[in-house]
Structures are given as C-alpha cells and as structure tokens.
C-alpha cells in the first residue's frame, strides 16, 4: 500500500461561504478565552482539563491553573470568535468557569 | 480504591463500601442545572443570544451523551463488574475521561445546590436538605481524584 505523501507547503485554503459572510472582526483573533477561579474545581483537575483541551504540556497547564487560583482568572487564548467559542464549549463541558470576552 | 493499569485499560477495584457509595452517587447525574454557565460576562459579543443558545445546546447534547454512556457502562459486565466484595471497573482512557466529566458534574451541581458557597467546607447550616448535597460533592470529589490519578499517573 502506498504511503500518503505530505506536501511541504500546504495549499492556500479559500474561505468558506460561511466565513465570507461573517464580519471580518469575528474572524480576527480578537476574543479572549478566560478561565475564572471557583472554589469547587480541584487544582489537579483544572490542570488536566487545560492539558486535554489545549494540548498543553503539564508545566504550561499548571502555570495557568495557578494564575486562576492566585489571581482569580487567567487568559488562556486569544482567538477568532469561532475558535474562542469552541474552547469555551470544551472547558464548560468539564464544568470549568470559562467565558470569552472581546479584547478591547 | 485500588487502581492499576493493565495494558491499555485502567482497572479500579473498589471495596464493598466504596461500591455502595459509587452506586448511590452515579444516578445523581446530571446534577448541574442546565444553562448554569454564561458564554460571556460582558454580553457584548456579536449575536450574543444565538451564541449563548449554541452553548446551551452543546452542553445539553453532551449531558445526554454522557447519560447514555453511563447507562451503557453500568450494563456492561465486562467493564462494570459488581461483585459480592465490591466493584471492578475496567475503563479505557476515553471512558475515564467522560466519567471524570460525569463526576465533576455531580460535584459542581451539588455545590450549586448548596448555594455556591465560597468555602464549600463551611456550609453554614447542615440540614436534611443540605447534607445530601455536601455528601455528593465530597464523594464525587473522592472518586474523581482517584480516576484523575489513574489517568495522569501522578
């Protein structure tokens, strides 16, 4: 069986009709994904969820978990509206207190 | 609870008392009120209402899926072995991951039902109404930490 060859350069992907219909501001990385502190989620659990959702190494996940714990919140990502929504959905599936806010 | 890894599986062996507690705990899922969380604090997102509905729908779908997975698990004799001396769980990593979500739903939901206290260990009034919530919150946390330990190997 022939192996799939991975091209060195990825072709430019044309925006979908849905993307074309969206205002440009929604596609720009202008939305913050924020995790807020709460007294119920375990620190180890929060670290684990960050690793699963963002694919971060443990050290980075722990850094953000501690920021949430000590400073009340941590900005986890700055993304387009669509991607920020995706991350908030994932984090909330694990019952973390996460929201997305416009980065003004 | 004794936990070991056997090839790709996580094996949890519970004693009789843990089994009874676990079997009492699982039917409490889902416990977190629907539409408990907001997508944004500021509500100045484009199409905020539609985006919030999308989140609520996604979480409702996840709840239904987890409920089905839980029912399937409890009927699957290969993965969920109720024994006279306890309970043996044989889980894949994916099973363990959603079971963690289920247990944390029970934990967070119980905390919400307690009135979302800042310090969950100092619930002001322990009454017939609050005690089951405190119990469920603590017990789900207990099992959650064991599963997490098994998953992360820490």
């Amino acid at each position: 069986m022939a192996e799939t060859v991975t091209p060195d350069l990825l072709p430019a992907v044309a925006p979908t009709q849905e993307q074309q219909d969206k205002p440009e501001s929604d596609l720009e990385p202008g939305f913050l994904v924020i995790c807020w502190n709460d007294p119920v989620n375990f620190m180890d659990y929060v670290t684990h969820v960050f690793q699963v959702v963002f694919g971060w190494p443990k050290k980075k996940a722990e850094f953000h978990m501690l920021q949430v714990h000590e400073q009340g919140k941590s900005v986890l990502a700055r993304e387009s509206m669509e991607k920020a929504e995706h991350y908030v959905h994932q984090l909330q599936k694990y019952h973390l207190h996460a929201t997305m806010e416009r980065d003004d | 609870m004794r936990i070991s890894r056997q090839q790709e599986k996580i094996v949890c062996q519970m004693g009789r008392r843990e089994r009874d507690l676990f079997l009492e705990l699982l039917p409490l899922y889902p416990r977190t009120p629907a539409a408990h969380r907001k997508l944004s604090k500021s509500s100045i997102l484009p199409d905020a209402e539609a985006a919030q509905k999308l989140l609520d729908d996604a979480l409702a779908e996840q709840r239904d899926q987890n409920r089905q997975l839980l029912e399937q698990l409890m009927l699957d004799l290969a993965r969920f072995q109720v024994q006279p001396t306890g309970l043996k769980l044989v889980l894949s990593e994916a099973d363990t991951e959603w079971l963690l979500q289920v247990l944390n739903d029970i934990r967070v939901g119980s905390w919400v039902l307690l009135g979302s206290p800042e310090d969950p260990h100092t619930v002001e009034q322990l009454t017939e109404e609050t005690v089951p919530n405190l119990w469920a919150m603590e017990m789900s946390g207990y099992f959650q930490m064991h599963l997490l330990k098994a998953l992360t190997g820490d």
Side-chain angles (χ1 to χ4, degrees):
Chain A
M1 191 181 291
E3 284 183 23
T4 307
V5 178
T6 308
D8 291 331
L9 289 172
L10 292 172
V13 178
T16 62
Q17 186 61 46
E18 196 185 349
Q19 284 171 329
Q20 283 176 349
D21 292 344
K22 289 200 171 205
E24 205 172 301
S25 61
D26 293 0
L27 303 175
E28 289 171 358
F31 293 87
L32 305 177
V33 178
I34 300 176
C35 187
W36 305 85
N37 192 30
D38 66 48
V40 70
N41 280 301
F42 290 120
M43 292 163 85
D44 287 349
Y45 179 74
V46 174
T47 302
H48 173 71
V49 174
F50 288 171
Q51 285 182 273
V52 172
V53 171
F54 294 100
W56 289 343
K58 189 168 186 186
K59 211 169 181 181
K60 182 172 181 181
E62 274 176 341
F63 170 82
H64 283 278
M65 177 276 293
L66 284 173
Q67 210 169 36
V68 172
H69 183 65
E70 289 164 3
Q71 298 174 27
K73 67 173 183 178
S74 178
V75 175
L76 306 179
R78 187 175 188 277
E79 291 289 356
S80 66
M81 182 165 171
E82 223 165 76
K83 276 192 179 173
E85 264 179 349
H86 166 77
Y87 283 133
V88 173
H89 285 202
Q90 293 305 309
L91 294 165
Q92 291 211 12
K93 280 179 184 174
Y94 282 90
H95 293 291
L96 298 198
H97 187 183
T99 63
M100 58 184 282
E101 311 296 335
R102 199 186 268 281
D103 185 16
D104 292 325
Chain B
M1 178 160 35
R2 279 184 292 120
I3 294 186
S4 59
R5 278 209 173 239
Q6 291 177 10
Q7 291 160 342
E8 299 294 305
K9 301 290 183 187
I10 292 168
V11 180
C12 311
Q13 182 66 59
M14 297 181 197
R16 202 175 296 155
R17 290 187 69 185
E18 284 174 322
R19 174 200 65 196
D20 294 346
L21 294 168
F22 196 62
L23 293 179
E24 209 168 315
L25 195 64
L26 292 183
L28 297 179
Y29 182 80
R31 199 158 177 84
T32 303
H36 166 61
R37 293 293 195 202
K38 297 290 168 223
L39 181 66
S40 176
K41 283 188 179 240
S42 60
S43 302
I44 54 163
L45 300 177
D47 299 325
E49 213 171 297
Q52 180 64 46
K53 188 177 179 319
L54 201 65
L55 172 66
D56 294 342
D57 290 349
L59 294 179
E61 195 180 320
Q62 175 79 8
R63 260 197 309 276
D64 286 346
Q65 194 185 349
N66 279 348
R67 190 172 19 207
Q68 280 176 21
L69 288 170
L70 189 58
E71 284 168 8
Q72 286 166 11
L73 173 71
M74 293 177 79
L75 292 172
D76 185 346
L77 297 178
R79 291 184 297 157
F80 199 88
Q81 300 167 21
V82 180
Q83 306 159 329
T85 53
L87 173 69
K88 186 177 179 184
L89 283 176
V90 183
L91 304 170
S92 66
E93 287 208 359
D95 288 337
T96 311
E97 199 65 55
W98 66 255
L99 196 51
L100 264 181
Q101 286 183 8
V102 164
L103 289 168
N104 203 46
D105 175 281
I106 296 171
R107 180 170 167 79
V108 173
S110 303
W111 173 72
V112 171
L113 292 170
L114 280 170
S116 310
E118 200 46 47
D119 184 352
H121 299 106
T122 57
V123 177
E124 298 231 332
Q125 279 189 317
L126 283 179
T127 64
E128 279 184 26
E129 272 183 33
T130 59
V131 162
N133 293 324
L134 192 62
W135 173 84
M137 188 184 80
E138 292 299 335
M139 287 317 303
S140 49
Y142 169 82
F143 290 112
Q144 200 183 346
M145 288 312 289
H146 274 90
L147 286 183
L148 196 55
K149 202 174 168 188
L151 207 53
T152 60
D154 290 342

